[in-house]
Amino acid sequence: MSSLQSLDIKRRSATTLPSTQARETLEVAKLIDVSKCIGCKACQVACSEWNDIRGDIGTNVGVYDNPADLGPKTWTVMRYSEVEEKKGEEMAFEWLIRKDGCMHCAEPGCLKACPSPGAILQYSNGIVDFIEENCIGCGYCVAGCPFNVPRISKQDSKAYKCTLCSDRVAVGLEPACVKTCPTGAITFGSKEDMIDHAAERVVDLKERGYANAGLYNPAGVGGTHVMYVLKHADKPEIYHGLPKDPQISATVGLWKGVMKPLAMLAMGLTALTGFFHYVKVGPNDAEAHPDEPEDGNGPHVIRSSGPGQMEGKGNVNPGEQA
Amino acid sequence: MKPLIQRYSDSDRINHWIVAIAFVLAGLSGLAMFHPAFFSLTGLFGGGAWTRTLHPYIGIVMFTAFVSMAKRFWKHNVMVPVDYEWLKLLPDVLTNREDRLPKIGKYNAGQKLLFWMLVVALPTLFVTGLIFWRAWFAEYFPIPVIRLAALLHAVAAATLITGILVHIYAAIWIKWTVGAMIRGSVTHKWAKAHHPLWYREVTGQPATPPGQE
């Protein structure tokens, strides 16, 4: 859904020239404090309500995760992990709950991979948005994303993910999940404020014995506009596989970086070389060969004449005939 | 006027042109999804989503027809010692000094190398293309595999297109070659000049009279 003005588009998929630069807006962020989350799933419901999408009814897979995964109609899910971690000196059982969804990377892998102009936008406030009317359904965004977030609908072959409620943010409201969270685990504001707020929370958590508490704002993707406060920031993987050092895969970098100019150059140069070869050397025409009688009974002298015989134009450089 | 020499049967030619037409369509639709500079080519296929939808099916037609074509031409494309000599004399090839080249059979080393490039590129395109074909198979493969498949698909496609540009140019440069693939036949002069050993094989006549070897 494109609800911000074109002035606010910072980056556009499959577009080689820069987007509008004149206006700079405040960079926003959503901060999810995992230590305050009680796993009530109110954010899932709010997301479903505001965006008016209902995930298909699935089956119970034996854990609290419900639905079991993100989907074209499920843009956020709570992920539950049972772990044993050190608290102070002893090991303690912990139930880690993480609200999963699009991280709104500053360097979005989906946008880099997308081949359709304007199907993925990054606004100057940091939100990364899919514009479904421009989506061609190739699924390259799925390959590009370091967080495994985009989902392609089987119904309409379009890609879907969290919009960070770009429509609400555009009119000065917080995202629906933030509005609804009963414990204040999700907060929303300028990215700067959210980083400050996270710092306070980290101090608090460290005082309570979580020596490795910290902010998850991974530099490998230029930072994100959805950030986590984690009690175990040294081991983000234990939060249902949150990547420790996410970045756009080197394979995607080769495919969408090096390969594009290289292939264009190879194809362009080959075509041009062919044309100029023809201009310089000319055709190789066996039929223009003057020295074989039509009846075919005469001497065969194909090898007897000098270079340029194939041209049949008589414009042979005498020096080459020796 | 001597009768023409048959170089390609009707089915050889039909097979070749099915591959060629599918190549052009798959190539244009593929380029449209490869580089933004070519995205407007999606207009030829009815828009971006139609381009994405049609491309893999066109690819399957190309691959299937190519398998049949490769079987037809395989044995004529096996490299023999004289091919390496021919390759060493590439400057003479490129300056139309064909008289200086060793005698070759139905295909020259350039044509053979193109053939083997296709034998590698087409199956690569086919297998990698299936892996990231979102409509049918992509969901069964882990994301790192899909990324690698997409990269290899692009590499194979760029190699293929570059190779085919050379192939098309060679057919324009060496006169009457396009005719050989359209109507199936070549003249005696053409065969003697470009493929003397093949000429001898099909006509029983030497391309060069005794004493001039």
PDB file of all heavy atoms in Angstrom, chain A residues 48-82:
ATOM      1  N   SER A  48      -4.066  -8.092  12.266  1.00  0.00           N
ATOM      2  CA  SER A  48      -5.121  -8.679  11.453  1.00  0.00           C
ATOM      3  C   SER A  48      -6.314  -7.735  11.309  1.00  0.00           C
ATOM      4  O   SER A  48      -6.877  -7.576  10.222  1.00  0.00           O
ATOM      5  CB  SER A  48      -5.534 -10.004  12.100  1.00  0.00           C
ATOM      6  OG  SER A  48      -6.784 -10.419  11.651  1.00  0.00           O
ATOM      7  N   GLU A  49      -6.676  -7.084  12.432  1.00  0.00           N
ATOM      8  CA  GLU A  49      -7.813  -6.172  12.428  1.00  0.00           C
ATOM      9  C   GLU A  49      -7.548  -4.936  11.567  1.00  0.00           C
ATOM     10  O   GLU A  49      -8.344  -4.599  10.692  1.00  0.00           O
ATOM     11  CB  GLU A  49      -8.119  -5.713  13.868  1.00  0.00           C
ATOM     12  CG  GLU A  49      -8.802  -6.753  14.721  1.00  0.00           C
ATOM     13  CD  GLU A  49     -10.251  -6.936  14.303  1.00  0.00           C
ATOM     14  OE1 GLU A  49     -10.969  -5.938  14.168  1.00  0.00           O
ATOM     15  OE2 GLU A  49     -10.672  -8.101  14.117  1.00  0.00           O
ATOM     16  N   TRP A  50      -6.434  -4.277  11.849  1.00  0.00           N
ATOM     17  CA  TRP A  50      -6.178  -3.018  11.146  1.00  0.00           C
ATOM     18  C   TRP A  50      -6.017  -3.247   9.645  1.00  0.00           C
ATOM     19  O   TRP A  50      -6.572  -2.519   8.822  1.00  0.00           O
ATOM     20  CB  TRP A  50      -4.940  -2.297  11.695  1.00  0.00           C
ATOM     21  CG  TRP A  50      -4.670  -1.062  10.874  1.00  0.00           C
ATOM     22  CD1 TRP A  50      -3.747  -0.927   9.889  1.00  0.00           C
ATOM     23  CD2 TRP A  50      -5.408   0.163  10.900  1.00  0.00           C
ATOM     24  NE1 TRP A  50      -3.838   0.295   9.298  1.00  0.00           N
ATOM     25  CE2 TRP A  50      -4.860   0.998   9.901  1.00  0.00           C
ATOM     26  CE3 TRP A  50      -6.480   0.637  11.673  1.00  0.00           C
ATOM     27  CZ2 TRP A  50      -5.338   2.280   9.665  1.00  0.00           C
ATOM     28  CZ3 TRP A  50      -6.945   1.914  11.418  1.00  0.00           C
ATOM     29  CH2 TRP A  50      -6.377   2.725  10.428  1.00  0.00           C
ATOM     30  N   ASN A  51      -5.252  -4.265   9.307  1.00  0.00           N
ATOM     31  CA  ASN A  51      -4.992  -4.506   7.886  1.00  0.00           C
ATOM     32  C   ASN A  51      -6.109  -5.297   7.205  1.00  0.00           C
ATOM     33  O   ASN A  51      -6.092  -5.478   5.988  1.00  0.00           O
ATOM     34  CB  ASN A  51      -3.655  -5.234   7.718  1.00  0.00           C
ATOM     35  CG  ASN A  51      -2.493  -4.343   8.130  1.00  0.00           C
ATOM     36  OD1 ASN A  51      -2.268  -3.290   7.550  1.00  0.00           O
ATOM     37  ND2 ASN A  51      -1.775  -4.750   9.175  1.00  0.00           N
ATOM     38  N   ASP A  52      -7.045  -5.782   8.037  1.00  0.00           N
ATOM     39  CA  ASP A  52      -8.208  -6.514   7.537  1.00  0.00           C
ATOM     40  C   ASP A  52      -7.793  -7.744   6.739  1.00  0.00           C
ATOM     41  O   ASP A  52      -8.217  -7.953   5.595  1.00  0.00           O
ATOM     42  CB  ASP A  52      -9.094  -5.588   6.683  1.00  0.00           C
ATOM     43  CG  ASP A  52     -10.556  -5.994   6.738  1.00  0.00           C
ATOM     44  OD1 ASP A  52     -10.855  -6.960   7.461  1.00  0.00           O
ATOM     45  OD2 ASP A  52     -11.375  -5.355   6.056  1.00  0.00           O
ATOM     46  N   ILE A  53      -6.929  -8.542   7.352  1.00  0.00           N
ATOM     47  CA  ILE A  53      -6.509  -9.793   6.739  1.00  0.00           C
ATOM     48  C   ILE A  53      -6.649 -10.899   7.774  1.00  0.00           C
ATOM     49  O   ILE A  53      -6.361 -10.688   8.956  1.00  0.00           O
ATOM     50  CB  ILE A  53      -5.034  -9.737   6.259  1.00  0.00           C
ATOM     51  CG1 ILE A  53      -4.155  -9.081   7.325  1.00  0.00           C
ATOM     52  CG2 ILE A  53      -4.910  -9.018   4.920  1.00  0.00           C
ATOM     53  CD1 ILE A  53      -2.672  -9.190   7.085  1.00  0.00           C
ATOM     54  N   ARG A  54      -7.105 -12.062   7.343  1.00  0.00           N
ATOM     55  CA  ARG A  54      -7.257 -13.198   8.265  1.00  0.00           C
ATOM     56  C   ARG A  54      -6.481 -14.380   7.696  1.00  0.00           C
ATOM     57  O   ARG A  54      -6.834 -14.905   6.643  1.00  0.00           O
ATOM     58  CB  ARG A  54      -8.734 -13.622   8.380  1.00  0.00           C
ATOM     59  CG  ARG A  54      -9.723 -12.474   8.579  1.00  0.00           C
ATOM     60  CD  ARG A  54      -9.869 -12.087  10.038  1.00  0.00           C
ATOM     61  NE  ARG A  54     -10.762 -10.931  10.160  1.00  0.00           N
ATOM     62  CZ  ARG A  54     -10.342  -9.655  10.163  1.00  0.00           C
ATOM     63  NH1 ARG A  54      -9.058  -9.384  10.048  1.00  0.00           N
ATOM     64  NH2 ARG A  54     -11.200  -8.660  10.272  1.00  0.00           N
ATOM     65  N   GLY A  55      -5.460 -14.803   8.417  1.00  0.00           N
ATOM     66  CA  GLY A  55      -4.715 -15.984   7.996  1.00  0.00           C
ATOM     67  C   GLY A  55      -5.630 -17.199   7.945  1.00  0.00           C
ATOM     68  O   GLY A  55      -6.602 -17.281   8.703  1.00  0.00           O
ATOM     69  N   ASP A  56      -5.331 -18.108   7.031  1.00  0.00           N
ATOM     70  CA  ASP A  56      -6.152 -19.320   6.943  1.00  0.00           C
ATOM     71  C   ASP A  56      -6.028 -20.114   8.246  1.00  0.00           C
ATOM     72  O   ASP A  56      -4.979 -20.100   8.888  1.00  0.00           O
ATOM     73  CB  ASP A  56      -5.677 -20.187   5.766  1.00  0.00           C
ATOM     74  CG  ASP A  56      -5.837 -19.444   4.444  1.00  0.00           C
ATOM     75  OD1 ASP A  56      -6.778 -18.621   4.342  1.00  0.00           O
ATOM     76  OD2 ASP A  56      -5.013 -19.667   3.535  1.00  0.00           O
ATOM     77  N   ILE A  57      -7.099 -20.787   8.614  1.00  0.00           N
ATOM     78  CA  ILE A  57      -7.069 -21.586   9.842  1.00  0.00           C
ATOM     79  C   ILE A  57      -6.164 -22.785   9.606  1.00  0.00           C
ATOM     80  O   ILE A  57      -6.336 -23.540   8.636  1.00  0.00           O
ATOM     81  CB  ILE A  57      -8.492 -22.030  10.241  1.00  0.00           C
ATOM     82  CG1 ILE A  57      -9.301 -20.786  10.616  1.00  0.00           C
ATOM     83  CG2 ILE A  57      -8.443 -23.034  11.388  1.00  0.00           C
ATOM     84  CD1 ILE A  57     -10.783 -21.058  10.825  1.00  0.00           C
ATOM     85  N   GLY A  58      -5.157 -22.933  10.481  1.00  0.00           N
ATOM     86  CA  GLY A  58      -4.183 -24.013  10.293  1.00  0.00           C
ATOM     87  C   GLY A  58      -4.442 -25.153  11.242  1.00  0.00           C
ATOM     88  O   GLY A  58      -5.571 -25.359  11.688  1.00  0.00           O
ATOM     89  N   THR A  59      -3.389 -25.902  11.558  1.00  0.00           N
ATOM     90  CA  THR A  59      -3.518 -27.009  12.500  1.00  0.00           C
ATOM     91  C   THR A  59      -2.562 -26.770  13.655  1.00  0.00           C
ATOM     92  O   THR A  59      -1.553 -26.100  13.509  1.00  0.00           O
ATOM     93  CB  THR A  59      -3.153 -28.357  11.837  1.00  0.00           C
ATOM     94  OG1 THR A  59      -1.926 -28.183  11.120  1.00  0.00           O
ATOM     95  CG2 THR A  59      -4.232 -28.816  10.880  1.00  0.00           C
ATOM     96  N   ASN A  60      -2.906 -27.350  14.808  1.00  0.00           N
ATOM     97  CA  ASN A  60      -2.054 -27.215  15.980  1.00  0.00           C
ATOM     98  C   ASN A  60      -0.798 -28.049  15.774  1.00  0.00           C
ATOM     99  O   ASN A  60      -0.871 -29.253  15.532  1.00  0.00           O
ATOM    100  CB  ASN A  60      -2.824 -27.718  17.204  1.00  0.00           C
ATOM    101  CG  ASN A  60      -2.096 -27.397  18.483  1.00  0.00           C
ATOM    102  OD1 ASN A  60      -0.869 -27.435  18.540  1.00  0.00           O
ATOM    103  ND2 ASN A  60      -2.850 -27.079  19.527  1.00  0.00           N
ATOM    104  N   VAL A  61       0.360 -27.383  15.854  1.00  0.00           N
ATOM    105  CA  VAL A  61       1.604 -28.114  15.625  1.00  0.00           C
ATOM    106  C   VAL A  61       2.287 -28.452  16.960  1.00  0.00           C
ATOM    107  O   VAL A  61       3.451 -28.817  17.002  1.00  0.00           O
ATOM    108  CB  VAL A  61       2.576 -27.331  14.710  1.00  0.00           C
ATOM    109  CG1 VAL A  61       2.019 -27.234  13.307  1.00  0.00           C
ATOM    110  CG2 VAL A  61       2.853 -25.939  15.270  1.00  0.00           C
ATOM    111  N   GLY A  62       1.558 -28.324  18.076  1.00  0.00           N
ATOM    112  CA  GLY A  62       2.084 -28.780  19.350  1.00  0.00           C
ATOM    113  C   GLY A  62       2.790 -27.714  20.162  1.00  0.00           C
ATOM    114  O   GLY A  62       3.306 -27.990  21.231  1.00  0.00           O
ATOM    115  N   VAL A  63       2.872 -26.504  19.640  1.00  0.00           N
ATOM    116  CA  VAL A  63       3.492 -25.407  20.389  1.00  0.00           C
ATOM    117  C   VAL A  63       2.552 -24.208  20.365  1.00  0.00           C
ATOM    118  O   VAL A  63       1.521 -24.232  19.700  1.00  0.00           O
ATOM    119  CB  VAL A  63       4.874 -25.016  19.801  1.00  0.00           C
ATOM    120  CG1 VAL A  63       5.896 -26.107  20.071  1.00  0.00           C
ATOM    121  CG2 VAL A  63       4.770 -24.722  18.321  1.00  0.00           C
ATOM    122  N   TYR A  64       2.951 -23.187  21.092  1.00  0.00           N
ATOM    123  CA  TYR A  64       2.096 -22.014  21.188  1.00  0.00           C
ATOM    124  C   TYR A  64       2.028 -21.189  19.908  1.00  0.00           C
ATOM    125  O   TYR A  64       1.121 -20.385  19.745  1.00  0.00           O
ATOM    126  CB  TYR A  64       2.571 -21.129  22.340  1.00  0.00           C
ATOM    127  CG  TYR A  64       1.979 -21.513  23.670  1.00  0.00           C
ATOM    128  CD1 TYR A  64       2.470 -22.604  24.371  1.00  0.00           C
ATOM    129  CD2 TYR A  64       0.918 -20.804  24.206  1.00  0.00           C
ATOM    130  CE1 TYR A  64       1.923 -22.973  25.585  1.00  0.00           C
ATOM    131  CE2 TYR A  64       0.369 -21.153  25.416  1.00  0.00           C
ATOM    132  CZ  TYR A  64       0.869 -22.241  26.118  1.00  0.00           C
ATOM    133  OH  TYR A  64       0.330 -22.599  27.315  1.00  0.00           O
ATOM    134  N   ASP A  65       3.028 -21.349  19.046  1.00  0.00           N
ATOM    135  CA  ASP A  65       3.073 -20.553  17.823  1.00  0.00           C
ATOM    136  C   ASP A  65       1.795 -20.786  17.014  1.00  0.00           C
ATOM    137  O   ASP A  65       1.520 -21.911  16.603  1.00  0.00           O
ATOM    138  CB  ASP A  65       4.272 -20.946  16.937  1.00  0.00           C
ATOM    139  CG  ASP A  65       5.597 -20.841  17.687  1.00  0.00           C
ATOM    140  OD1 ASP A  65       5.671 -21.334  18.827  1.00  0.00           O
ATOM    141  OD2 ASP A  65       6.544 -20.285  17.114  1.00  0.00           O
ATOM    142  N   ASN A  66       1.040 -19.748  16.817  1.00  0.00           N
ATOM    143  CA  ASN A  66      -0.230 -19.902  16.110  1.00  0.00           C
ATOM    144  C   ASN A  66      -0.640 -18.572  15.498  1.00  0.00           C
ATOM    145  O   ASN A  66      -0.875 -17.619  16.221  1.00  0.00           O
ATOM    146  CB  ASN A  66      -1.319 -20.369  17.086  1.00  0.00           C
ATOM    147  CG  ASN A  66      -2.665 -20.492  16.404  1.00  0.00           C
ATOM    148  OD1 ASN A  66      -2.736 -20.704  15.197  1.00  0.00           O
ATOM    149  ND2 ASN A  66      -3.729 -20.328  17.166  1.00  0.00           N
ATOM    150  N   PRO A  67      -0.678 -18.481  14.162  1.00  0.00           N
ATOM    151  CA  PRO A  67      -0.320 -19.494  13.178  1.00  0.00           C
ATOM    152  C   PRO A  67       1.152 -19.902  13.299  1.00  0.00           C
ATOM    153  O   PRO A  67       1.940 -19.184  13.906  1.00  0.00           O
ATOM    154  CB  PRO A  67      -0.559 -18.804  11.834  1.00  0.00           C
ATOM    155  CG  PRO A  67      -1.277 -17.545  12.120  1.00  0.00           C
ATOM    156  CD  PRO A  67      -1.040 -17.204  13.550  1.00  0.00           C
ATOM    157  N   ALA A  68       1.488 -21.037  12.700  1.00  0.00           N
ATOM    158  CA  ALA A  68       2.828 -21.575  12.879  1.00  0.00           C
ATOM    159  C   ALA A  68       3.888 -20.757  12.153  1.00  0.00           C
ATOM    160  O   ALA A  68       5.067 -20.871  12.449  1.00  0.00           O
ATOM    161  CB  ALA A  68       2.867 -23.024  12.397  1.00  0.00           C
ATOM    162  N   ASP A  69       3.465 -19.951  11.201  1.00  0.00           N
ATOM    163  CA  ASP A  69       4.465 -19.200  10.429  1.00  0.00           C
ATOM    164  C   ASP A  69       3.838 -17.910   9.899  1.00  0.00           C
ATOM    165  O   ASP A  69       2.611 -17.759   9.897  1.00  0.00           O
ATOM    166  CB  ASP A  69       4.958 -20.062   9.253  1.00  0.00           C
ATOM    167  CG  ASP A  69       6.225 -19.494   8.601  1.00  0.00           C
ATOM    168  OD1 ASP A  69       6.878 -18.619   9.216  1.00  0.00           O
ATOM    169  OD2 ASP A  69       6.547 -19.928   7.477  1.00  0.00           O
ATOM    170  N   LEU A  70       4.711 -17.024   9.439  1.00  0.00           N
ATOM    171  CA  LEU A  70       4.227 -15.847   8.712  1.00  0.00           C
ATOM    172  C   LEU A  70       3.541 -16.315   7.433  1.00  0.00           C
ATOM    173  O   LEU A  70       3.826 -17.409   6.937  1.00  0.00           O
ATOM    174  CB  LEU A  70       5.403 -14.935   8.348  1.00  0.00           C
ATOM    175  CG  LEU A  70       6.174 -14.275   9.502  1.00  0.00           C
ATOM    176  CD1 LEU A  70       7.463 -13.665   8.970  1.00  0.00           C
ATOM    177  CD2 LEU A  70       5.325 -13.201  10.167  1.00  0.00           C
ATOM    178  N   GLY A  71       2.668 -15.487   6.916  1.00  0.00           N
ATOM    179  CA  GLY A  71       1.995 -15.859   5.669  1.00  0.00           C
ATOM    180  C   GLY A  71       1.532 -14.618   4.953  1.00  0.00           C
ATOM    181  O   GLY A  71       1.661 -13.505   5.484  1.00  0.00           O
ATOM    182  N   PRO A  72       1.004 -14.778   3.735  1.00  0.00           N
ATOM    183  CA  PRO A  72       0.522 -13.610   2.999  1.00  0.00           C
ATOM    184  C   PRO A  72      -0.583 -12.858   3.736  1.00  0.00           C
ATOM    185  O   PRO A  72      -0.787 -11.669   3.491  1.00  0.00           O
ATOM    186  CB  PRO A  72       0.018 -14.194   1.676  1.00  0.00           C
ATOM    187  CG  PRO A  72       0.029 -15.659   1.821  1.00  0.00           C
ATOM    188  CD  PRO A  72       0.890 -16.023   2.975  1.00  0.00           C
ATOM    189  N   LYS A  73      -1.281 -13.555   4.657  1.00  0.00           N
ATOM    190  CA  LYS A  73      -2.319 -12.885   5.433  1.00  0.00           C
ATOM    191  C   LYS A  73      -1.967 -12.848   6.914  1.00  0.00           C
ATOM    192  O   LYS A  73      -2.840 -12.614   7.751  1.00  0.00           O
ATOM    193  CB  LYS A  73      -3.656 -13.605   5.244  1.00  0.00           C
ATOM    194  CG  LYS A  73      -4.166 -13.597   3.806  1.00  0.00           C
ATOM    195  CD  LYS A  73      -5.445 -14.392   3.724  1.00  0.00           C
ATOM    196  CE  LYS A  73      -5.898 -14.589   2.300  1.00  0.00           C
ATOM    197  NZ  LYS A  73      -7.077 -15.487   2.268  1.00  0.00           N
ATOM    198  N   THR A  74      -0.731 -13.124   7.227  1.00  0.00           N
ATOM    199  CA  THR A  74      -0.265 -13.089   8.616  1.00  0.00           C
ATOM    200  C   THR A  74       1.080 -12.390   8.606  1.00  0.00           C
ATOM    201  O   THR A  74       2.093 -12.981   8.274  1.00  0.00           O
ATOM    202  CB  THR A  74      -0.093 -14.526   9.172  1.00  0.00           C
ATOM    203  OG1 THR A  74      -1.305 -15.248   8.968  1.00  0.00           O
ATOM    204  CG2 THR A  74       0.262 -14.502  10.646  1.00  0.00           C
ATOM    205  N   TRP A  75       1.061 -11.099   8.947  1.00  0.00           N
ATOM    206  CA  TRP A  75       2.275 -10.312   8.773  1.00  0.00           C
ATOM    207  C   TRP A  75       3.134 -10.235  10.026  1.00  0.00           C
ATOM    208  O   TRP A  75       4.224  -9.692  10.018  1.00  0.00           O
ATOM    209  CB  TRP A  75       1.908  -8.897   8.278  1.00  0.00           C
ATOM    210  CG  TRP A  75       1.246  -8.932   6.936  1.00  0.00           C
ATOM    211  CD1 TRP A  75       1.198  -9.999   6.076  1.00  0.00           C
ATOM    212  CD2 TRP A  75       0.538  -7.867   6.298  1.00  0.00           C
ATOM    213  NE1 TRP A  75       0.497  -9.665   4.935  1.00  0.00           N
ATOM    214  CE2 TRP A  75       0.079  -8.354   5.044  1.00  0.00           C
ATOM    215  CE3 TRP A  75       0.240  -6.556   6.653  1.00  0.00           C
ATOM    216  CZ2 TRP A  75      -0.647  -7.575   4.152  1.00  0.00           C
ATOM    217  CZ3 TRP A  75      -0.488  -5.768   5.770  1.00  0.00           C
ATOM    218  CH2 TRP A  75      -0.928  -6.278   4.524  1.00  0.00           C
ATOM    219  N   THR A  76       2.579 -10.748  11.140  1.00  0.00           N
ATOM    220  CA  THR A  76       3.404 -10.849  12.343  1.00  0.00           C
ATOM    221  C   THR A  76       2.975 -12.095  13.099  1.00  0.00           C
ATOM    222  O   THR A  76       1.798 -12.442  13.107  1.00  0.00           O
ATOM    223  CB  THR A  76       3.282  -9.583  13.218  1.00  0.00           C
ATOM    224  OG1 THR A  76       4.227  -9.673  14.285  1.00  0.00           O
ATOM    225  CG2 THR A  76       1.897  -9.404  13.796  1.00  0.00           C
ATOM    226  N   VAL A  77       3.923 -12.808  13.703  1.00  0.00           N
ATOM    227  CA  VAL A  77       3.594 -13.959  14.571  1.00  0.00           C
ATOM    228  C   VAL A  77       4.505 -13.936  15.796  1.00  0.00           C
ATOM    229  O   VAL A  77       5.643 -13.475  15.743  1.00  0.00           O
ATOM    230  CB  VAL A  77       3.754 -15.333  13.868  1.00  0.00           C
ATOM    231  CG1 VAL A  77       2.680 -15.566  12.835  1.00  0.00           C
ATOM    232  CG2 VAL A  77       5.127 -15.503  13.245  1.00  0.00           C
ATOM    233  N   MET A  78       3.985 -14.455  16.877  1.00  0.00           N
ATOM    234  CA  MET A  78       4.789 -14.627  18.077  1.00  0.00           C
ATOM    235  C   MET A  78       5.539 -15.945  17.944  1.00  0.00           C
ATOM    236  O   MET A  78       4.945 -16.978  17.650  1.00  0.00           O
ATOM    237  CB  MET A  78       3.890 -14.704  19.328  1.00  0.00           C
ATOM    238  CG  MET A  78       2.828 -13.631  19.419  1.00  0.00           C
ATOM    239  SD  MET A  78       3.513 -11.980  19.443  1.00  0.00           S
ATOM    240  CE  MET A  78       4.518 -12.052  20.909  1.00  0.00           C
ATOM    241  N   ARG A  79       6.850 -15.883  18.208  1.00  0.00           N
ATOM    242  CA  ARG A  79       7.675 -17.098  18.162  1.00  0.00           C
ATOM    243  C   ARG A  79       8.065 -17.460  19.586  1.00  0.00           C
ATOM    244  O   ARG A  79       8.578 -16.597  20.308  1.00  0.00           O
ATOM    245  CB  ARG A  79       8.950 -16.831  17.357  1.00  0.00           C
ATOM    246  CG  ARG A  79       8.733 -16.252  15.968  1.00  0.00           C
ATOM    247  CD  ARG A  79       8.305 -17.315  15.009  1.00  0.00           C
ATOM    248  NE  ARG A  79       8.537 -16.896  13.619  1.00  0.00           N
ATOM    249  CZ  ARG A  79       8.200 -17.641  12.571  1.00  0.00           C
ATOM    250  NH1 ARG A  79       7.632 -18.819  12.757  1.00  0.00           N
ATOM    251  NH2 ARG A  79       8.431 -17.220  11.351  1.00  0.00           N
ATOM    252  N   TYR A  80       7.849 -18.690  19.969  1.00  0.00           N
ATOM    253  CA  TYR A  80       8.123 -19.136  21.341  1.00  0.00           C
ATOM    254  C   TYR A  80       9.298 -20.100  21.357  1.00  0.00           C
ATOM    255  O   TYR A  80       9.315 -21.062  20.601  1.00  0.00           O
ATOM    256  CB  TYR A  80       6.886 -19.843  21.923  1.00  0.00           C
ATOM    257  CG  TYR A  80       5.667 -18.945  22.012  1.00  0.00           C
ATOM    258  CD1 TYR A  80       4.897 -18.671  20.884  1.00  0.00           C
ATOM    259  CD2 TYR A  80       5.293 -18.367  23.218  1.00  0.00           C
ATOM    260  CE1 TYR A  80       3.789 -17.837  20.959  1.00  0.00           C
ATOM    261  CE2 TYR A  80       4.181 -17.549  23.302  1.00  0.00           C
ATOM    262  CZ  TYR A  80       3.436 -17.289  22.170  1.00  0.00           C
ATOM    263  OH  TYR A  80       2.340 -16.462  22.249  1.00  0.00           O
ATOM    264  N   SER A  81      10.266 -19.827  22.223  1.00  0.00           N
ATOM    265  CA  SER A  81      11.407 -20.728  22.345  1.00  0.00           C
ATOM    266  C   SER A  81      11.642 -21.046  23.822  1.00  0.00           C
ATOM    267  O   SER A  81      11.655 -20.147  24.665  1.00  0.00           O
ATOM    268  CB  SER A  81      12.680 -20.085  21.778  1.00  0.00           C
ATOM    269  OG  SER A  81      12.453 -19.616  20.476  1.00  0.00           O
ATOM    270  N   GLU A  82      11.831 -22.336  24.124  1.00  0.00           N
ATOM    271  CA  GLU A  82      12.141 -22.746  25.498  1.00  0.00           C
ATOM    272  C   GLU A  82      13.644 -22.987  25.589  1.00  0.00           C
ATOM    273  O   GLU A  82      14.174 -23.806  24.851  1.00  0.00           O
ATOM    274  CB  GLU A  82      11.381 -24.032  25.849  1.00  0.00           C
ATOM    275  CG  GLU A  82       9.871 -23.826  25.866  1.00  0.00           C
ATOM    276  CD  GLU A  82       9.108 -25.128  26.091  1.00  0.00           C
ATOM    277  OE1 GLU A  82       9.720 -26.115  26.513  1.00  0.00           O
ATOM    278  OE2 GLU A  82       7.899 -25.121  25.817  1.00  0.00           O
TER     279      GLU A  82
END
